[in-house]
DNA sequence: AGTGCGACCTGATCGC
DNA sequence: TGCGATCAGGTCGCAC
């Protein structure tokens, strides 16, 4: 759900306030799998300065001043929310960070309804390893490079291929369906059988849809909200995702929903060949 | 080796 | 009204 555009939106909002901030305190309201050793997690963070907030694929990376980093994955329902001093803990809240930047205090809450997300403290070498296993950032390379990444002899469908973070980073269920509709390619097609023209068109549409969604602060299909609790504006611009039975915006044909790669998959039988 | 699939988790929604 | 079944999905780990 939070995919590249949504995670990038959160990154920008976090970076704006957390860059150069110092972590004063960390209160774990409810611990979980994401920080197995709670005391170590809290103690290791106190007093550390955040050098930058970066993103790789759907992973948020807070680089600290001691060659360590906090990685955060929102998965489906993870949220960072800026709150004020008087904020009261709500049901799914898990951690509160108190930070300081230029004598101004910052209160940040990590919440996660489904508890799939995680925060992890790791060192530089482990971070380098994780980052190196992702495919290229789709907005940092040319469409030609992306098209080349999709040129593979595999039995998999193009949709399953797009969801593989090792091939191209950051695409999830929504943007896989949306980019395939824009490119006029059926999700079920075998990746090995796509023509050069199709792969190039798909690569360009991946870049277009991701950039357009970032410009709208992402799409809130279900649970996603940004650090102010705001929904993304791209939802109404989606062409197929979540529109089963509704008319295709291009040709009026009813959008079909099937299951592919274990994911709800949406396409227009007329526009997509 | 590459691929597919279950597990993880909770809340919203649907049908009876 | 209430209750159970189903669905949402990113990624890991295991099986084939």
């Amino acid at each position: 759900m939070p995919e590249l555009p949504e995670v990038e939106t959160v990154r920008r909002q976090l970076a704006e306030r957390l860059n150069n901030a110092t972590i004063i305190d960390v209160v774990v309201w409810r611990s979980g799998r994401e920080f197995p050793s709670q005391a170590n997690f809290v103690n290791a963070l106190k007093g550390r300065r955040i050098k930058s907030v970066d993103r790789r694929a759907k992973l948020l990376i807070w680089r600290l001043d001691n060659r360590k980093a906090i990685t955060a994955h929102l998965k489906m329902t993870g949220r960072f929310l800026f709150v004020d001093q008087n904020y009261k803990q709500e049901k799914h809240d898990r951690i509160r960070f108190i930070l300081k930047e230029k004598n101004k205090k910052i209160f940040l809450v990590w919440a996660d309804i489904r508890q799939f997300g995680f925060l992890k403290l790791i060192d530089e070498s482990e971070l380098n390893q994780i980052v190196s296993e992702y495919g290229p950032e789709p907005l940092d390379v040319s469409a030609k490079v992306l098209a080349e990444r999709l040129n593979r002899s595999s039995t998999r469908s193009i949709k399953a291929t797009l969801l593989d973070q090792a091939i191209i980073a950051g695409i999830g269920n929504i943007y896989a369906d949306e980019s395939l509709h824009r490119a006029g390619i059926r999700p079920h097609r075998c990746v090995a059988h796509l023509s050069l023209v199709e792969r190039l068109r798909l690569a360009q549409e991946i870049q277009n849809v991701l950039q357009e969604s970032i410009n709208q602060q992402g799409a809130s299909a279900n649970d996603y909200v940004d650090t102010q609790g705001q929904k993304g504006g791209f939802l109404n611009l989606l062409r197929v995702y979540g529109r089963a039975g509704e008319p295709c915006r291009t040709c009026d044909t009813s959008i079909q929903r099937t299951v592919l790669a274990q994911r709800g998959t949406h396409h227009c039988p007329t526009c997509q060949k």
Side-chain angles (χ1 to χ4, degrees):
Chain A
M1 206 122 331
E3 304 175 29
L4 190 153
E6 292 77 28
V7 180
E8 176 62 17
T9 299
V10 171
R11 184 202 71 77
R12 291 179 183 186
Q13 295 179 353
L14 289 175
E16 199 177 313
R17 299 183 65 181
L18 299 189
N19 279 356
N20 226 21
T22 300
I23 301 171
I24 298 172
D25 200 8
V26 181
V27 178
V28 178
W29 279 325
R30 184 178 170 191
S31 64
R33 291 174 298 131
E34 65 269 49
F35 24 89
S37 178
Q38 192 184 128
N40 288 351
F41 182 78
V42 171
N43 290 332
L45 295 186
K46 280 190 190 176
R48 299 267 61 96
R49 187 174 58 84
I50 297 170
K51 284 166 52 183
S52 65
V53 181
D54 301 327
R55 178 191 58 77
R56 181 76 168 95
K58 302 166 194 166
L59 194 67
L60 289 163
I61 302 164
W62 301 8
R63 292 181 195 276
L64 305 179
D65 61 355
N66 59 349
R67 301 172 73 83
K68 289 181 185 288
I70 299 172
T71 54
H73 203 302
L74 308 177
K75 292 288 181 88
M76 270 75 69
T77 54
R79 290 175 181 182
F80 283 111
L81 290 170
F82 285 112
V83 299
D84 62 30
Q85 188 157 14
N86 302 319
Y87 178 84
K88 294 262 190 318
Q89 182 191 1
E90 293 195 13
K91 190 175 175 187
H92 302 292
D93 294 347
R94 305 178 72 76
I95 300 178
R96 184 175 72 160
F97 293 91
I98 302 172
L99 306 101
K100 195 174 182 180
E101 209 259 323
K102 290 178 185 160
N103 292 326
K104 199 174 148 195
K105 278 193 178 178
I106 300 165
F107 300 88
L108 180 68
V109 167
W110 164 253
D112 188 5
I113 295 170
R114 259 175 266 181
Q115 303 177 47
F116 278 19
F118 63 78
L119 302 183
K120 250 188 215 165
L121 180 67
I122 62 176
D123 61 32
E124 208 165 49
S125 63
E126 196 180 344
L127 178 61
N128 291 339
Q129 178 64 30
I130 290 167
V131 160
S132 72
E133 288 170 5
Y134 287 120
E137 284 293 320
L139 295 178
D140 291 351
V141 298
S142 67
K144 201 176 158 192
V145 167
L146 290 188
E148 192 53 40
R149 297 290 296 169
L150 296 172
N151 181 21
R152 47 194 62 237
S153 58
S154 162
T155 58
R156 279 198 294 185
S157 64
I158 180 59
K159 164 120 182 197
T161 306
L162 290 178
L163 294 176
D164 187 339
Q165 303 298 297
I167 292 170
I168 296 174
I171 301 171
N173 205 36
I174 296 175
Y175 298 101
D177 284 6
E178 290 297 313
S179 56
L180 285 165
H181 179 264
R182 285 165 176 244
I185 298 168
R186 289 198 187 208
H188 320 74
R189 294 267 304 279
C190 174
V191 64
H193 296 160
L194 295 184
S195 70
L196 174 64
V197 170
E198 286 175 321
R199 282 186 277 113
L200 198 54
R201 197 163 66 220
L202 178 55
Q204 284 164 345
E205 293 299 351
I206 287 168
Q207 294 185 323
N208 290 343
V209 73
L210 293 176
Q211 189 58 60
E212 287 172 30
S213 185
I214 289 173
N215 294 345
Q216 300 289 325
Q217 286 82 47
S220 301
N222 293 302
D223 298 294
Y224 166 76
V225 293
D226 69 12
T227 62
Q228 313 293 336
Q230 299 294 309
K231 294 190 167 217
F234 199 63
L235 180 65
N236 296 332
L237 299 175
L238 296 178
R239 301 187 189 180
V240 286
Y241 181 85
R243 300 192 64 245
E246 295 175 42
C248 173
R249 299 196 199 279
T250 308
C251 73
D252 271 355
T253 304
S254 184
I255 299 299
Q256 281 191 5
R257 181 184 182 277
T258 53
V259 175
L260 179 62
Q262 297 160 271
R263 294 289 169 259
T265 298
H266 313 75
H267 83 283
C268 170
T270 303
C271 294
Q272 295 174 257
K273 309 292 182 196

